[in-house]
Amino acid sequence: HGWSARSLDGFLPSRYNVFYVSTPYLYGTYNWSATNVYILTGFTYVMSNAVLNIEPGTVIKGVSGTGTSSSAANDFGCLFVCRGGKINASGTAAAPIVFTAEADNLNGNLGQSDRGLWGGVVILGRARTNTASGQGNIEGIPTTEPLGLYGGSDDNDNSGVFRYVSIRHAGSLLGPNNELNGLTMGGVGAGTTIEYVEVFANADDGFEWFGGTVNGKYLVSAFNDD
C-alpha cells in the first residue's frame, strides 16, 4: 500500500479508513488521526469552547456541491473554526496535514488548474477589526448566520496552531464576489500560530485576512485565481 505502481495509479484500495464527517457542529474535543481520511460532507463548525486536534500526516477531504443553500449547512465540504473554538493542526515537514478535494487521489491526478472543488478552511477569532461595530460576518457564509461572526477586542486571542498544512483545490463559489478562500482569517488573534502553510490551486485568494493580529509566516500561495 502506497509503494507499488498499482497503488500509486489508484488501482488498489486505500490503506486508510475513511471517516465521513456528517455532524455539522463539533462540540467538546475531537482527535483526528493520520490513520484515517476525513471527508467533510458539508459545512463543519468547530464551535465555541470546542477543540479539534489533528495529527501530523492526516488527510482531510471536502466534497463538491452546488453551494446554493441559504443556511449554515451548505452542501460542499468546508471547515470553520468559530470564535472561541480552537484547532490544533500541527503537522511536520515530513508529515504535513493536507486539506484537499474528495477527487484528489494524492498521486498527481489533479493539477494547478483544478480549482473550486470544495470550500476551504476558515478561522475566526476575537481580535480587533476596523469595522464600525468591531466585528463582521465572514464572506463565504450567509450574512444571517451568526456562526460567521468574527472580531472583538482581544488582540491576543488564541485560535490554536496551524502549522505545516497544505490546502489544495478549494474555493467553492456561493455567489458573485462571495467565494471561499484557501485559508480565510477573520479577527484571528496574536495567540494563534499560523506558519508553514501552502495554498495551491484555489479558486479565490490563497490567504485572506479580515482584521486581526495574527503573525502568519512562511506562507506559499501558488496558482490561485485571485
Side-chain angles (χ1 to χ4, degrees):
H1 285 195
W3 66 269
S4 69
R6 294 295 81 194
S7 178
L8 293 174
D9 288 343
F11 287 96
L12 295 179
S14 170
R15 65 182 183 273
Y16 302 106
N17 299 312
V18 176
F19 181 82
Y20 288 88
V21 183
S22 56
T23 301
Y25 308 109
L26 304 184
Y27 296 93
T29 299
Y30 284 76
N31 299 302
W32 287 3
S33 168
T35 59
N36 299 326
V37 171
Y38 295 86
I39 308 293
L40 303 175
T41 61
F43 279 18
T44 300
Y45 298 89
V46 180
M47 302 296 285
S48 181
N49 298 317
V51 179
L52 174 59
N53 300 309
I54 305 177
E55 282 188 346
T58 302
V59 175
I60 301 99
K61 297 184 177 184
V63 303
S64 297
T66 64
T68 56
S69 174
S70 60
S71 72
N74 227 302
D75 65 348
F76 56 82
C78 190
L79 182 66
F80 288 83
V81 181
C82 301
R83 290 194 302 183
K86 188 170 289 186
I87 184 169
N88 292 315
S90 190
T92 68
I97 293 166
V98 177
F99 288 85
T100 190
E102 185 181 24
D104 188 0
N105 293 332
L106 301 176
N107 63 359
N109 65 307
L110 297 182
Q112 65 193 45
S113 61
D114 293 303
R115 306 181 180 100
L117 301 183
W118 66 289
V121 179
V122 180
I123 302 176
L124 306 176
R126 293 193 171 110
R128 286 182 295 171
T129 77
N130 66 354
T131 62
S133 66
Q135 63 182 22
N137 193 288
I138 205 69
E139 71 176 19
I141 188 172
T143 58
T144 56
E145 176 48 60
L147 291 177
L149 288 174
Y150 67 91
S153 58
D154 183 3
D155 280 353
N156 291 314
D157 188 40
N158 184 354
S159 296
V161 176
F162 208 71
R163 177 190 290 121
Y164 283 110
V165 177
S166 179
I167 302 171
R168 308 171 185 178
H169 312 296
S172 286
L173 176 70
L174 282 174
N177 298 315
N178 192 14
E179 306 96 345
L180 281 154
N181 308 289
L183 178 59
T184 304
M185 293 157 281
V188 177
T192 309
T193 299
I194 295 179
E195 60 185 18
Y196 301 102
V197 181
E198 170 196 53
V199 180
F200 172 78
N202 197 78
D204 195 36
D205 294 304
F207 302 89
E208 189 162 0
W209 290 260
F210 294 83
T213 53
V214 65
N215 182 27
K217 56 185 179 179
Y218 311 121
L219 310 178
V220 174
S221 176
F223 303 106
N224 303 307
D225 269 351
D226 205 353

